[in-house]
Amino acid sequence: MVMAPMTRSRAVTGNVPNPLAPVYYAQRAQAGLIISEATQVSRQGTGYIRTPGIYSLAQVEAWRRVTDAVHEAGGIIFAQLWHVGRVSHPEFHDGVLPVAPSAINAEADVFTSTGIAQTPVPRALLTSEIADVVSQFRQGAEKASEAGFDGVEIHGSSGYLLDQFLRDGSNKREDHYGGTIINRARFPLEVVSAVSEVLGADRVGFRVGPNMSLHGMSDSSPVETFSYLATQLDAIGIAYLHVTEGIAGPDAPVAGSQRIAPYLRQCFSRTFILNGGYDAQTGEDAINKGEADLIAYGVPFIANPDLPARFACGSDLNVPDPATFYAPGHNDAVGYTDYPTLNKSKKT
């Protein structure tokens, strides 16, 4: 059982992880692997209020407290490295436009300090600028190592920057980072190679969401596109491929579209993680059928710090409160560190 990465919007000033984060993550250390909330590799990678980064000394020190707490509780934790690309707003960049592969608006809402705002038309990255973004991910991996993470997951899903480069609905470039599948996958693979050079490929994972239409995403040939990427990731030798393609809920393929995860399973020979709408039984079934090696759970882990123990004994689950998924504003502990465990204790 993997704890999926989940944005909780509780970072404090300077995009520093919340002082309660060590408690939150340590409470969930029963997971076979914890993947942290999405963590931006630079200021340029920011697109939401109160999301943590991993590029400053203060951020690294705060994350060190998290990893220490998880390790003391017997857990393993990877940092999810993130750059939002066009899913952002000039407020986060001193009035400068966010960047993307092409000047195409995501037509999405983002949360700013003044409320919900519409994304603008982004600025297309110059070819000469792409190496700098690769370096941002490389530095993120270095900082994650300094902070004590056991590895990293690269966020290549949900319509963020790496996903934007990969899919032809958002990438209309005419240089060697656009056009063919090989070209569109070049930037994500350069990021993976750079991060692997820092940590070793066996401490790197990659997340995709091939059927996700979030943030205006689309691709004309998703099976071909994501199969090529999975094959190349397998050749690099990364630890795992994490596929979000729900069997239920908003991440499930829309009616009439095909599931892509089975194709990726054939292309990727190492650890394969599925995520999206699974419960104890459907997760067990997927593993028994060979569809996955691990199942990642998101919302169930929010409301149930001891989710593995509850699955093991067939206990009822706490009911999650969506109103507190993101910071409620007045008390960050509410809906974060106060869900009860099986022994009814409350850890705040």
Side-chain angles (χ1 to χ4, degrees):
M1 292 178 64
V2 176
M3 176 174 158
M6 292 174 287
T7 293
R8 303 305 310 274
S9 295
R10 283 168 166 81
V12 297
T13 302
N15 296 107
V16 173
N18 194 293
L20 288 172
V23 175
Y24 169 74
Y25 283 106
Q27 286 176 340
R28 290 153 178 83
Q30 288 182 2
L33 169 65
I34 293 173
I35 305 170
S36 81
E37 61 206 278
T39 304
Q40 53 257 10
V41 294
S42 66
R43 281 195 65 201
Q44 185 193 68
T46 308
Y48 302 87
I49 58 170
R50 301 197 68 183
T51 53
I54 193 158
Y55 52 88
S56 75
L57 177 60
Q59 292 163 355
V60 170
E61 290 176 345
W63 277 123
R64 167 62 76 174
R65 289 189 283 274
V66 171
T67 62
D68 283 348
V70 170
H71 292 150
E72 287 171 10
I76 299 170
I77 183 168
F78 276 33
Q80 191 187 59
L81 303 183
W82 187 35
H83 191 306
V84 301
R86 69 182 186 176
V87 187
S88 188
H89 190 273
E91 174 184 304
F92 298 109
H93 312 293
D94 300 322
V96 175
L97 288 172
V99 298
S102 303
I104 302 172
N105 197 335
E107 303 291 347
D109 292 334
V110 291
F111 294 89
T112 72
S113 62
T114 57
I116 296 176
Q118 182 74 30
T119 55
V121 175
R123 177 181 70 81
L125 281 163
L126 300 175
T127 304
S128 59
E129 294 177 303
I130 293 176
D132 178 66
V133 185
V134 174
S135 294
Q136 293 173 24
F137 278 91
R138 181 191 296 274
Q139 176 182 272
E142 293 169 347
K143 298 296 186 185
S145 181
E146 292 174 21
F149 283 100
D150 299 295
V152 301
E153 176 178 284
I154 298 169
H155 199 341
S157 180
S158 306
Y160 297 120
L161 186 63
L162 274 64
D163 202 19
Q164 294 161 25
F165 267 84
L166 181 65
R167 296 207 244 181
D168 60 15
S170 50
N171 185 342
K172 305 297 182 183
R173 299 180 71 90
E174 297 181 353
D175 62 3
H176 62 288
Y177 289 99
T180 66
I181 293 173
I182 293 174
N183 283 352
R184 298 197 313 272
R186 190 183 309 278
F187 170 59
L189 292 173
E190 287 180 351
V191 167
V192 173
S193 294
V195 170
S196 296
E197 287 174 3
V198 173
L199 298 173
D202 61 346
R203 294 176 62 199
V204 177
F206 195 93
R207 192 184 202 200
V208 296
N211 264 311
M212 281 188 173
S213 58
L214 185 67
H215 301 142
M217 296 302 295
S218 65
D219 190 83
S220 60
S221 302
V223 172
E224 187 178 2
T225 295
F226 285 91
S227 293
Y228 173 78
L229 179 68
T231 300
Q232 298 304 307
L233 293 172
D234 193 52
I236 292 172
I238 65 170
Y240 68 78
L241 181 62
H242 184 178
V243 181
T244 300
E245 187 177 63
I247 58 173
D251 297 331
V254 297
S257 64
Q258 64 187 134
R259 288 186 61 80
I260 298 173
Y263 293 94
L264 306 188
R265 177 66 155 156
Q266 296 174 17
C267 298
F268 192 81
S269 64
R270 292 175 176 79
T271 301
F272 195 78
I273 304 175
L274 283 179
N275 169 243
Y278 290 89
D279 58 22
Q281 188 59 58
T282 55
E284 187 77 10
D285 290 345
I287 290 174
N288 288 336
K289 292 175 184 176
E291 296 173 358
D293 300 299
L294 301 171
I295 302 296
Y297 295 88
V299 170
F301 259 118
I302 289 179
N304 299 275
D306 53 352
L307 186 66
R310 289 174 183 267
F311 276 10
C313 68
S315 171
D316 290 339
L317 302 184
N318 295 326
V319 178
D321 178 7
T324 61
F325 283 178
Y326 307 108
H330 61 282
N331 185 346
D332 286 349
V334 175
Y336 189 56
T337 55
D338 63 347
Y339 280 105
T341 56
L342 283 171
N343 61 14
K344 308 299 182 184
S345 65
K346 286 200 171 189
K347 298 179 181 179
T348 58

